[in-house]
Amino acid sequence: MIVIENVYVATVAGPEIPSGHLAFDGDRIVAVGPGAYEGEGERIDGRGCLATPGLVNTHHHLYQWASQGVTPDGTLFEWLTASYRLWARMDAEVVHGAATAALGWLAKSGCTTASDHHYIFPKGRGDLFDAEIQAAREVGLRFHPGRGSMDRGQSQGGLPPDEVVESGDEILAETEAAVRKYHDPSFGSMLRIAVAPCSPFSVSGRLMTESAALARSLGVRLHTHGAETLDEDEHCREQFGMLPVEYLESLGWLGPDVWLAHCVHLTDTDIRRFADTGTGTAHCPSSNGRLGAGIARVSELLRAGAPVGLGVDGAASSEMTPLAGEIRMAMLLQRARYGPDALTARQALEMATMGGARCLGREAEIGSLEPGKLADIALWRVDGFYSAIDDPVVAFAYGQTPPLARLIVGGRTVVEDGELRTVTDQAAAEGGAMAHRRLRRS
Ligand SMILES: [Zn+2]
């Protein structure tokens, strides 16, 4: 039993506890309450700290750590076109190094559960999917990698060059094999696989439909990009005679087992359909800003009752974005668009925790601090400079993110005093730098 005491607890599920305790045994939370904990157990002094549920990252492309800074001022389609040829050269070592750095960086910003979307599998370059799974095991995060895919190259009217796409049959076989090999559906699972074709402009309608059928037959979730930019609207109108969400719906891609990245350009009807079907959105405000995509209608989605989580997106379109910082970015952008009551700090924190858990289908296990849930906990130092703000949640969300005193994943300490304790900061950083060098010279 381990007990964190004298801590301000933002449970997210219920009332906050200004001075209380959190006790966990193995990977489960056993007690959350005010004052001291009566039972036995090793003590961690949480004085000066805010405890939040571990943050959930709902969208990433870990391999992109190796290609940051490419096309710093281009649109999504310009940036993608420049990036594809570089990504075609990645191998398992690049993916492992990049994933170690990216997951380490996520952990250092409070993330306990990370999803990934890996959709490029160049031939003869090792087992790229296994490489990122190994990295997640080493860093110690709960991991939801999506076996991504692209089958619609330029010769088929798609955006990517033909050299980076695979055939539909090969993709479906590899995806099924990945689910059968790695997916663990149990309570407390550290590894779950999603089926994740890349986007309407790089994947055929047939593969989208068959991917959905495959995921549903295997009982796993579906993820893809949707409605990110106006270029995509235009592409979908021209090629399919529909807007992106209408197109996705026509392919069976709305539902409680689907979460979509970005969803910046939604119509009123789309928002209603997301709420009615329980379709989740991975909101990536920094990436949307970086690529000039727009400001997503997140507060309207939340008001409608649709699940919304936060994501940093791949580092090639958001560089060194920390996940906790996306809480602030989401809040500020919603207020810039809709006014000062559009998104509160607590709503943004809920989005980063329970909202993400809902997107990943794990709301019974993670996303809030309650007895019976998994011990995925972030402890933030809100003393020192931050103590001039009375409300610890405001101190946490409004300015620069406070230091991370400790990050616990399933009862295990992954970060302490801001530094990784599973792999070292130095090893994670070097993994990322090596991946970058290897990709640039290959
Ligand atoms: Zn993305």
Side-chain angles (χ1 to χ4, degrees), residues 59-61 64 79 117 119 223 225 228 261-262 284 287 313-314 317:
H59 188 62
H60 210 312
H61 310 287
Q64 290 184 6
W79 168 85
H117 189 181
Y119 52 82
H223 182 53
H225 294 95
E228 182 175 358
H262 305 304
C284 307
S287 171
D313 201 2
S317 67

Side-chain angles (χ1 to χ4, degrees), residues 97-120:
T100 306
L103 290 164
W105 193 248
L106 279 175
K108 283 162 67 71
S109 68
C111 173
T112 50
T113 298
S115 65
D116 188 48
H117 189 181
H118 191 100
Y119 52 82
I120 299 186

Side-chain angles (χ1 to χ4, degrees), residues 4-357:
I4 304 169
E5 286 187 323
N6 309 312
V7 65
Y8 189 107
V9 187
T11 63
V12 171
E16 291 172 10
I17 303 163
S19 178
H21 63 264
L22 256 171
F24 55 94
D25 192 12
D27 70 350
R28 305 287 163 89
I29 297 172
V30 294
V32 183
Y37 179 68
E38 298 300 327
E40 302 278 298
E42 180 191 329
R43 260 49 185 182
I44 294 171
D45 189 3
R47 208 176 303 264
C49 290
L50 164 72
T52 67
L55 308 184
V56 179
N57 187 56
T58 56
H59 188 62
H60 210 312
H61 310 287
L62 298 173
Y63 72 87
Q64 290 184 6
W65 192 273
S67 66
Q68 298 182 70
V70 175
T71 320
D73 306 312
T75 66
L76 173 69
F77 281 16
E78 289 163 353
W79 168 85
L80 275 172
T81 305
S83 300
Y84 283 135
R85 287 185 199 285
L86 192 60
W87 296 338
R89 302 202 295 256
M90 78 177 123
D91 61 11
E93 277 187 65
V94 167
V95 172
H96 183 269
T100 306
L103 290 164
W105 193 248
L106 279 175
K108 283 162 67 71
S109 68
C111 173
T112 50
T113 298
S115 65
D116 188 48
H117 189 181
H118 191 100
Y119 52 82
I120 299 186
F121 293 89
K123 291 230 171 355
R125 293 182 169 263
D127 191 336
L128 273 52
F129 202 58
D130 192 70
E132 64 167 347
I133 287 171
Q134 291 309 325
R137 285 190 177 128
E138 287 156 20
V139 175
L141 295 194
R142 221 175 279 293
F143 195 38
H144 282 235
R147 204 300 182 178
S149 55
M150 301 195 292
D151 73 334
R152 192 160 162 261
Q154 277 161 5
S155 63
Q156 307 296 314
L159 190 71
D162 288 352
E163 64 182 294
V164 296
V165 306
E166 302 169 278
S167 79
D169 290 343
E170 197 175 10
I171 289 163
L172 291 165
E174 290 287 331
T175 304
E176 179 169 357
V179 173
R180 294 201 186 282
K181 182 170 180 188
Y182 297 110
H183 182 71
D184 171 9
S186 67
F187 190 100
S189 169
M190 292 296 287
L191 183 62
R192 288 198 191 160
I193 311 300
V195 176
C198 186
S199 67
F201 51 83
S202 58
V203 177
S204 68
R206 182 192 145 234
L207 181 59
M208 292 297 290
T209 308
E210 291 182 2
S211 294
L214 176 68
R216 286 171 179 144
S217 74
L218 295 169
V220 300
R221 296 179 86 75
L222 284 161
H223 182 53
T224 192
H225 294 95
E228 182 175 358
T229 63
L230 293 172
D231 285 351
E232 183 185 331
D233 275 11
E234 196 181 307
H235 179 95
C236 288
R237 262 208 199 95
E238 268 173 22
Q239 300 261 339
F240 317 122
M242 289 180 259
L243 286 170
V245 173
E246 295 167 327
Y247 178 60
L248 287 167
E249 181 156 31
S250 76
L251 300 170
W253 268 78
L254 296 189
D257 55 351
V258 179
W259 88 105
L260 303 169
H262 305 304
C263 308
V264 175
H265 299 283
L266 298 183
T267 64
D268 292 347
T269 309
D270 296 340
I271 290 174
R272 270 197 307 279
R273 293 300 296 142
F274 277 42
D276 290 346
T277 57
T279 304
T281 294
H283 176 44
C284 307
S286 288
S287 171
N288 297 157
R290 198 282 204 187
L291 290 170
I295 300 174
R297 298 172 67 180
V298 162
S299 45
E300 294 179 78
L301 281 167
L302 291 174
R303 240 192 341 268
V308 184
L310 276 183
V312 298
D313 201 2
S317 67
S318 64
E319 277 73 22
M320 306 287 290
T321 296
L323 181 55
E326 292 300 84
I327 291 174
R328 174 175 188 253
M329 187 64 80
M331 197 173 72
L332 297 188
L333 289 185
Q334 290 305 298
R335 291 173 179 211
R337 177 168 179 166
Y338 295 102
D341 59 354
L343 193 70
T344 67
R346 286 172 171 82
Q347 285 173 316
L349 172 63
E350 184 174 356
M351 194 158 71
T353 52
M354 272 308 285

Side-chain angles (χ1 to χ4, degrees), residues 374-400:
L374 295 164
D376 288 9
I377 304 160
L379 267 188
W380 308 93
R381 291 229 74 93
V382 287
D383 51 5
F385 279 104
Y386 292 83
S387 56
I389 301 174
D390 291 333
D391 181 340
V393 177
V394 169
F396 168 66
Y398 273 59
Q400 181 174 317

Side-chain angles (χ1 to χ4, degrees), residues 396-415:
F396 168 66
Y398 273 59
Q400 181 174 317
T401 305
L404 184 60
R406 198 181 279 249
L407 186 77
I408 296 162
V409 183
R412 177 188 186 203
T413 294
V414 170
V415 177

